[in-house]
């Protein structure tokens, strides 16, 4: 089990002075905890210090053994290096939410981290048969960058985590916005990405919502 200890804090006292209810405090640091699935004591938790950030949704995590026989947990998530919650208007390119990778070495305590693929998206999903296992493809809702006054998503992106690249994008069309998709494998699927993407899309021009 991987646990995030990040510093996007609920600060209701700020509301009395016109401030934000949530405050990002990078100076307090960040860390990821790993607890064995069959742990019997909190003392079995291992903590890894990581660069300050904020995460809402993870894509997947899996364990593997490296060339030195070290046990490595690879964790993928959509990561904001810093964030003003509910205010994406003034977000600089380098502050955008991107698909990110942490590699946690359970033997040495070392962390390797960095951008997996520079895509501005959220709500990552994978083939459900590969959750918690080594995998290749992830699909993300694409942030609508033309108007950031309200977080909206104008399409879905497919990313190859092995080649670390954007494979393709499905755009919903002008004035159409969706959210999180689900991936449904085909019966008798021949590959990891052999299946269907399903989700809800709203057309602002007709005020109709459809199941895609």
């Amino acid at each position: 089990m991987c646990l995030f200890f990040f510093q996007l804090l609920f600060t209701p006292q700020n509301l009395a002075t016109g401030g934000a209810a949530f405050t990002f405090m990078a100076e307090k640091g960040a860390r990821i905890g790993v607890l064995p699935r069959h742990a019997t004591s909190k003392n079995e938790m291992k903590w890894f210090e990581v660069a300050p950030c904020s995460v809402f949704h993870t894509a997947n995590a899996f364990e593997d053994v490296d060339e030195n026989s070290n046990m490595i947990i690879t964790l993928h998530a959509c990561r904001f290096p810093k964030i003003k919650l509910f205010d994406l208007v003034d977000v600089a390119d380098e502050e955008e939410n991107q698909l990110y990778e942490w590699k946690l070495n359970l033997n040495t305590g070392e962390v390797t981290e960095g951008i997996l693929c520079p895509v501005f998206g959220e709500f990552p999903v994978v083939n459900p048969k590969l959750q918690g296992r080594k995998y290749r493809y992830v699909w993300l809702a694409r942030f609508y960058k033309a108007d950031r006054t309200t977080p909206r998503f104008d399409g879905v992106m497919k990313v190859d985590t092995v080649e670390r690249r954007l494979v393709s994008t499905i755009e919903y069309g002008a004035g159409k916005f969706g959210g999180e998709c689900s991936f449904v494998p085909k019966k008798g699927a021949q590959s990891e990405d052999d299946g269907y993407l399903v989700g809800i899309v709203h057309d602002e021009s007709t005020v109709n919502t459809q199941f895609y």
Side-chain angles (χ1 to χ4, degrees), residues 180-182 184 196-202 208-212:
E180 180 176 3
C181 291
S182 294
V184 181
Y196 308 93
L197 283 175
V198 296
I200 303 296
V201 175
H202 177 69
N208 288 326
T209 300
Q210 292 183 316
F211 180 76
Y212 271 48

Coordinates of all heavy atoms in Angstrom, one line a residue, residues 180-182 184 196-202 208-212:
E180 N -14.0 11.6 -16.2 CA -13.2 10.4 -16.1 C -13.8 9.3 -17.0 O -15.1 9.1 -17.0 CB -13.2 9.9 -14.6 CG -12.5 8.6 -14.4 CD -12.4 8.2 -12.9 OE1 -13.0 8.9 -12.1 OE2 -11.8 7.2 -12.6
C181 N -13.0 8.6 -17.7 CA -13.4 7.5 -18.5 C -13.2 6.2 -17.8 O -12.4 6.1 -16.8 CB -12.7 7.4 -19.8 SG -13.1 8.8 -21.0
S182 N -13.8 5.1 -18.3 CA -13.4 3.7 -17.8 C -13.0 2.9 -19.0 O -13.5 3.1 -20.1 CB -14.7 3.1 -17.1 OG -15.0 3.7 -16.0
V184 N -12.9 -0.8 -20.6 CA -13.5 -2.1 -20.5 C -12.8 -3.0 -21.5 O -12.9 -2.8 -22.7 CB -15.0 -2.0 -20.8 CG1 -15.7 -3.3 -20.7 CG2 -15.7 -1.0 -19.9
Y196 N -12.6 -1.0 -24.8 CA -13.5 0.1 -25.1 C -13.3 1.2 -24.0 O -13.1 0.9 -22.8 CB -15.0 -0.3 -25.0 CG -15.3 -1.4 -26.0 CD1 -15.3 -2.7 -25.4 CD2 -15.6 -1.2 -27.3 CE1 -15.6 -3.8 -26.3 CE2 -15.9 -2.3 -28.1 CZ -15.9 -3.6 -27.6 OH -16.2 -4.7 -28.4
L197 N -13.3 2.4 -24.4 CA -13.3 3.6 -23.5 C -14.8 4.0 -23.4 O -15.4 4.3 -24.4 CB -12.5 4.7 -23.9 CG -11.0 4.6 -23.8 CD1 -10.3 5.8 -24.4 CD2 -10.6 4.5 -22.3
V198 N -15.3 4.1 -22.2 CA -16.7 4.6 -22.0 C -16.7 5.8 -21.0 O -15.9 5.9 -20.1 CB -17.6 3.5 -21.5 CG1 -17.7 2.4 -22.5 CG2 -17.1 2.9 -20.1
G199 N -17.6 6.7 -21.2 CA -17.7 7.9 -20.3 C -18.9 8.7 -20.7 O -19.6 8.4 -21.6
I200 N -19.0 9.8 -19.9 CA -20.1 10.8 -20.1 C -19.6 12.1 -20.7 O -18.6 12.6 -20.2 CB -20.8 11.1 -18.7 CG1 -21.3 9.8 -18.1 CG2 -22.0 12.1 -18.9 CD1 -22.4 9.1 -18.9
V201 N -20.3 12.6 -21.7 CA -19.8 13.8 -22.4 C -21.0 14.8 -22.5 O -22.1 14.4 -22.9 CB -19.3 13.5 -23.8 CG1 -19.0 14.9 -24.5 CG2 -18.1 12.7 -23.8
H202 N -20.8 16.0 -22.1 CA -21.9 17.0 -22.0 C -21.6 18.0 -23.2 O -20.5 18.5 -23.3 CB -21.9 17.8 -20.7 CG -22.9 18.9 -20.6 ND1 -24.2 18.6 -20.6 CD2 -22.7 20.2 -20.6 CE1 -24.9 19.8 -20.5 NE2 -24.0 20.8 -20.5
N208 N -27.2 18.9 -23.7 CA -27.5 17.4 -23.7 C -26.3 16.7 -23.2 O -25.1 17.1 -23.4 CB -27.9 16.9 -25.0 CG -29.3 17.4 -25.4 OD1 -30.2 17.5 -24.6 ND2 -29.5 17.6 -26.7
T209 N -26.5 15.6 -22.5 CA -25.4 14.7 -22.0 C -25.6 13.3 -22.6 O -26.7 12.8 -22.6 CB -25.4 14.7 -20.5 OG1 -25.2 16.0 -20.0 CG2 -24.2 13.8 -20.0
Q210 N -24.5 12.8 -23.1 CA -24.6 11.5 -23.7 C -23.5 10.5 -23.1 O -22.5 10.9 -22.7 CB -24.3 11.6 -25.3 CG -25.4 12.3 -26.0 CD -25.2 12.3 -27.5 OE1 -24.1 12.6 -27.9 NE2 -26.2 12.0 -28.3
F211 N -23.9 9.2 -23.2 CA -23.0 8.2 -22.8 C -22.2 7.8 -24.0 O -22.8 7.3 -25.0 CB -23.8 7.0 -22.2 CG -22.9 5.9 -21.8 CD1 -22.2 5.9 -20.6 CD2 -22.8 4.7 -22.6 CE1 -21.4 4.9 -20.2 CE2 -22.0 3.6 -22.2 CZ -21.3 3.7 -21.0
Y212 N -20.9 7.9 -24.0 CA -20.0 7.6 -25.1 C -19.4 6.2 -25.0 O -19.0 5.9 -23.9 CB -18.9 8.6 -25.2 CG -19.2 9.9 -26.1 CD1 -20.4 10.6 -25.9 CD2 -18.3 10.3 -27.0 CE1 -20.7 11.7 -26.6 CE2 -18.6 11.4 -27.8 CZ -19.8 12.1 -27.6 OH -20.1 13.3 -28.3

